[in-house]
Amino acid sequence: PPGPAGGMDLAYVCEWEKKPKSNHCPSIPLVCAWSCRNLIAFTTDLRNEEEKDLTHMVHIIDTEHPWDVYSVNSGHTEVITCLEWDQSGSRLLSADADGHIKCWSMTDHLANSWESTVGSMVEGDPVVALSWLHNGVKLALHVEKSGASNFGEKFSRVKFSPSLTLFGGKPMEGWIAVTISGLVTVSLLKPNGQVLTATESLCRLRCRVALADVAFTGGGNIVVATSDGSSTSPVQFYKVCVSVVNEKCKIDTEILPSLFMRCTTDPARKDKYPAITHLKFLARDMSEQVLLCASNQNNSIVECWSLRKEGLPVNNIFQQISPVVGDKQPMILKWRILSATNDLDRVSAVALPKLPISLTNTDLKVANDTKFFPGLGLALAFHDGSVHIVHRLSLQMMAVFYGSSSQRPVDEPSLKRPRTAGPLVHFKAMQLSWTSLALAGVDSHGKLSMLRISPSMGHVLDMNMSLRHLLFLLEYCMVTGYDWWDILLHVQPSMVQNLVEKLHEEYMRQNAALQQVLSTRIVAMKASLCKLSSSTIARVCDYHAKLFLIAISCTLKSLLRPHFLNTPDKSPGDRLTEICSKITDVDIDKVMINLKTEEFVLEMTTLQSLQQLIQWVGDFVLYLLASLPNQGSPVRPGHSFLRDGASLGMFRELMVVIRIWGLLKPSCLPVYTATSDTQDSMSLLFRLLTKLWLCCREENHITEPDDALIDECCLLPSQLLIPNIDWLPINDGIISKLQNKQLVRLQFGKAPGLVGHTVSSQFDAFVRAPGQPKIDHLRRLHLGAYPTEECKSCTRCGCVTMLKSPNKVTAVKQWEQRWIKNCLCGGLWRKMPLSYS
């Protein structure tokens, strides 16, 4: 349905196993946090039957495999009150009602293995607000410029100072927390791992702080908002400055203007809402806008306030005494109400947008005209189980979701609706994703719900406009490096082809330096899009192979060393590229003669250790050439390489390098099974590869390969054994199962027995069956049918590799460094169970 109700729908829910006495009880308060890598952390308490005490658990899930939950006993002795991810999405802060703060990070860069190494505490003083210090990076998305060709115009850097800088302007890492007794505590992480902590009273008269929030100003200051929980008391604001003096952390605070909620001064509502239940700055870097919610047992009201500079009228007496005063009206800062809602059902949770959308009048107008709303709405959850998305400035309703137990609009006959007995289920904690296209809520049973939020809030748009909206957000993720899983939730199979083409066009409009930086990210993005349609599924394999090729090419070229250290001209890798593209000869030895072979001299052990990667290059070239004759079938993986001049050029360069290395150490050459002993397989393949490359080396002038080349390629299977290529498995994630808009029900700790959609079934021909030998996709080593080594797999592309390196050679380390933190596709690693076969 169009209109508010069509703006949101439930994608999946994931719940705990129902035991006779369920051990997972939601913690009060329940908290959750969503990182830019699309990891969600939330808390529950684990009830211990014998000892009757509670263990405070932190659970971390990746949104693509929600059932694969990583649960860790947090070690907090009291209930966890705050969870906060850092800007990079790789570290998590947790704080509890005993004043303890812990910093969690991944062990061995595995998304399902976390440990807490550092922390701080204010003994016995519950933490009510927590934040990482600001690192000074702030972007603004300009909706009005969404048609501009330059990424720098669409997503501009905003001048913003870090909360604290090290020598040379590098931002210092650390966190700030506010406690219930009115203390502010700041901890700084020094590069050597040491933690400097200081604690200071927010103001001279310390008073109880029931609610607080932290925001940052462009000048590098911190603003703290506090309330004692009563709506008859003022909401106080403080400026906090952090500095390091003589290796010690120092905090200075000063009082800013305060405000009283309007509902307490409004005669009609004077005593109606006694408690302030939510207090939030609209964004971490918007200290001049605050959202307040006051409630009673059954109802709430929400107000949005903004801090403005206002002139102070001056009495005439002073103007006569000193004309200077009269010219320049003194300015003061004052809180003014922007908007307020009517009486609402009782609010149980609030989620604010993280997308840094620009709020100038022109941007807001364009957003409204084109119906592009991500980042403009905030979410309110109610005790009846419903969720509203309201505009962050006007608080007007944009979309609504009726939960299982909430009242639907009156037009449905009331007979159908069974009376819901017992307490209603509602979200206790809620978070919006980083593009605002998804919303996660954790309810009073610890169940996680994932909601899709339409970019147009349910307005029906033409296909072109829908694509533009998604493209704009994909580009934003490409520039920031954030994970784009939540955008894929909205991609329909019919959009895939268009999105991939448009994404490529936009990428080609950027300058060469930026293209270089984004070169692998765009390939990974195209791969994840192609998974979503049966007509493009074969290209997923190609894009992953392309990522692998780019990585191998960079690694092998970086091993080449100039013969004389002070050679002023290009690096050997660049010169290799230049010579290979200039000399289009089909004879490998004639190309080789133009290179300085002394630059290619490596140690024998190094060359031997690269044999598996070299073998992959050799096998892939042979496979591509052998598949040229039946090129009419785009369903076969490898098809797109036959028209990709840049990739064929890379293969050609690598063949030349391998040829030279083979003269030094023949055993590092790729092994081919040939029918005749005398045949020089490498020069044969190089000749055919060069001919194919010449057909498509210029992107806008691609010619068809001639019959002679196709005939020669037809003969290849009779001359050489064509290898099987180990393509990546089409992975087991949830995204492709959500396309038909049917709700998927999942259980924590239990992989779903979902039958994949038709897309993956035509694909099984290329992927190894369960009993077959497994392969380490990145080291190209065979692991056997039942691997004994511990492995990790990528959360996005599903490739598998061993946790520990079997080889200590520097060149191998250099190769492994490329994917130690993330997979080549940018996905996070997760440790696999040993019996994964």
Side-chain angles (χ1 to χ4, degrees), residues 465-511:
M465 192 54 86
S466 305
L467 287 173
R468 253 185 63 185
H469 289 350
L470 295 178
L471 190 66
F472 189 46
L473 293 168
L474 281 169
E475 291 166 358
Y476 169 68
C477 288
M478 190 157 46
V479 169
T480 52
Y482 296 159
D483 187 71
W484 57 93
W485 177 89
D486 37 332
I487 305 175
L488 299 179
L489 277 177
H490 298 267
V491 175
Q492 289 303 312
S494 56
M495 300 177 172
V496 171
Q497 187 74 35
N498 274 335
L499 268 177
V500 172
E501 282 168 18
K502 286 194 159 72
L503 197 63
H504 184 75
E505 278 167 33
E506 291 297 323
Y507 168 78
M508 294 311 287
R509 291 161 78 176
Q510 309 312 309
N511 62 42

Side-chain angles (χ1 to χ4, degrees), residues 552 613-622 651 654-655 658:
I552 285 187
L613 298 182
I614 290 173
Q615 183 70 45
W616 179 83
V617 174
D619 281 351
F620 206 86
V621 168
L622 173 53
F651 277 122
L654 292 176
M655 295 286 275
I658 293 166

Side-chain angles (χ1 to χ4, degrees), residues 263-274:
C263 61
T264 57
T265 54
D266 167 6
R269 296 194 172 99
K270 193 154 174 23
D271 303 315
K272 189 170 175 189
Y273 297 108

Side-chain angles (χ1 to χ4, degrees), residues 737-788:
K737 318 210 166 58
L738 300 172
Q739 287 185 315
N740 54 7
K741 298 278 171 101
Q742 294 292 311
L743 168 63
V744 176
R745 294 186 178 278
L746 304 163
Q747 207 178 39
F748 287 120
K750 206 168 149 189
L754 291 172
V755 181
H757 57 357
T758 47
V759 167
S760 49
S761 57
Q762 49 167 295
F763 215 79
D764 297 337
F766 306 117
V767 180
R768 294 186 170 224
Q772 283 188 315
K774 299 287 181 288
I775 186 161
D776 179 323
H777 293 112
L778 295 179
R779 295 188 180 90
R780 308 313 298 184
L781 296 170
H782 292 275
L783 302 175
Y786 302 99
T788 51

